[in-house]
């Protein structure tokens, strides 16, 4: 398997009171903690909870091990790598680091998978920013059945909020998904850009959460994989509850 060669730049300090000693970690060779191989398994409604596993080969210091990360998305690899670097600094064994990573359990609203008798719901509604929106859309592409993204406004983006919503819409238009449902004042920009980017993508716009909840049942069908994501103020946990109760 070819190495995953993007570099990540942060450092971890092994003495929190000073910055004299630092440990870099990356997804390529040349640093103390690195990843030399990565593979992912598709999202599906089979064999929960392992259906979202990413397998990585981590080399912290002079040791190496393979670990399954029980959450989807290559962005989770960076978190696991950081955890391995910290564990190595504080003297944990590879077995302890591996066990810690593999025991990760998502909490409500943070990429929690909910399997009902109709859908697979990806509950990622606790919060959102442009980077996390794009990462979640990337993961959704591996879903079984129709892949539906139910996205809402992102808050606290400042003067570039319109442009940033448009950028997420462009990314969605380039993703291999089937339906994009955009909700909220700012998400109109997302919907319009997605439709311009990919005229074949089914794009639905709802002005607010109440309207979305009223029409949602008509947008989904059995076998769908449904991503639900927005900033916390959008209260999209109500959308997740609605889907669970269908």
């Amino acid at each position: 398997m070819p190495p995953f060669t993007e570099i990540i730049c942060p450092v971890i300090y092994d003495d929190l009171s000073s910055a004299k000693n630092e440990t870099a970690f990356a997804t390529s060779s040349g640093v103390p903690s690195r990843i030399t191989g990565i593979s992912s398994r598709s999202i599906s409604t089979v064999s929960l909870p392992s259906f979202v596993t990413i397998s990585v080969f981590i080399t912290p210091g002079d040791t190496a091990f393979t670990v399954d990360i029980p959450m989807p998305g290559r962005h989770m690899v960076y978190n696991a790598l950081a955890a391995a670097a910290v564990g190595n600094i504080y003297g944990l064994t590879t077995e302890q680091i591996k066990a810690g990573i593999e025991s990760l359990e998502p909490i409500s609203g943070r990429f929690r998978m909910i399997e009902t008798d109709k859908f697979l719901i990806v509950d990622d509604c606790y919060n959102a920013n442009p980077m996390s929106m794009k990462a979640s859309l990337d993961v959704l592409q591996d879903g079984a059945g129709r892949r539906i993204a139910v996205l809402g406004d992102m808050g606290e983006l400042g003067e570039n909020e319109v442009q940033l919503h448009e950028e997420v819409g462009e990314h969605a238009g380039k993703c291999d998904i089937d339906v994009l449902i955009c909700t909220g004042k700012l998400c109109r920009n997302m919907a319009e850009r997605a439709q311009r980017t990919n005229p074949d993508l089914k794009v639905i716009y709802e002005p607010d959460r109440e309207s979305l909840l009223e029409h949602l049942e008509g947008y989904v069908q059995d076998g769908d994989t449904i991503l639900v994501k927005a900033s916390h103020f959008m209260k999209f946990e109500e959308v997740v509850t609605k889907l669970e109760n269908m």
Side-chain angles (χ1 to χ4, degrees), residues 8-30:
I8 185 168
C9 299
V11 296
I12 301 221
Y13 297 116
D14 61 4
D15 180 352
L16 297 181
S17 64
S18 73
K20 292 181 179 179
N21 301 310
E22 57 186 42
T23 296
F25 58 92
T27 53
S28 69
S29 61

Side-chain angles (χ1 to χ4, degrees), residues 162-175:
V162 170
Q163 175 188 340
L164 292 170
H165 280 78
E166 288 177 340
E167 289 177 2
V168 172
E170 181 174 350
H171 187 81
K174 294 176 181 178
C175 286

Side-chain angles (χ1 to χ4, degrees), residues 70-87:
M71 290 185 70
R74 292 200 172 198
H75 58 291
M76 291 303 301
V77 172
Y78 299 129
N79 295 330
L81 186 53
V86 171

Side-chain angles (χ1 to χ4, degrees), residues 22-149:
E22 57 186 42
T23 296
F25 58 92
T27 53
S28 69
S29 61
V31 293
S33 294
R34 62 186 184 275
I35 288 175
T36 55
I38 175 172
S39 63
S40 61
R41 304 175 191 168
S42 297
I43 295 178
S44 71
T45 56
V46 181
S47 66
L48 284 164
S50 61
F51 66 103
V52 294
T53 298
I54 296 174
S55 181
V56 297
F57 185 75
I58 296 181
T59 306
D62 297 326
T63 60
F65 63 94
T66 299
V67 61
D68 290 333
I69 305 171
M71 290 185 70
R74 292 200 172 198
H75 58 291
M76 291 303 301
V77 172
Y78 299 129
N79 295 330
L81 186 53
V86 171
N88 188 57
I89 288 169
Y90 286 99
L92 297 183
T93 66
T94 55
E95 290 79 11
Q96 289 173 317
I97 296 171
K98 176 182 171 71
I101 293 172
E102 292 184 341
S103 66
L104 173 66
E105 294 184 6
I107 62 174
S108 179
R110 294 189 181 274
F111 236 105
R112 181 171 61 112
M113 301 293 169
I114 305 169
E115 188 176 19
T116 74
D117 58 357
K118 293 184 177 180
F119 321 115
L120 177 63
I121 306 164
V122 184
D123 171 17
D124 199 22
C125 69
Y126 181 78
N127 219 337
N129 59 59
M131 183 178 294
S132 67
M133 278 273 198
K134 293 174 185 177
S136 296
L137 285 165
D138 289 341
V139 174
L140 179 62
Q141 295 180 101
D142 291 329
R146 294 195 312 161
R147 291 146 298 187
I148 299 178

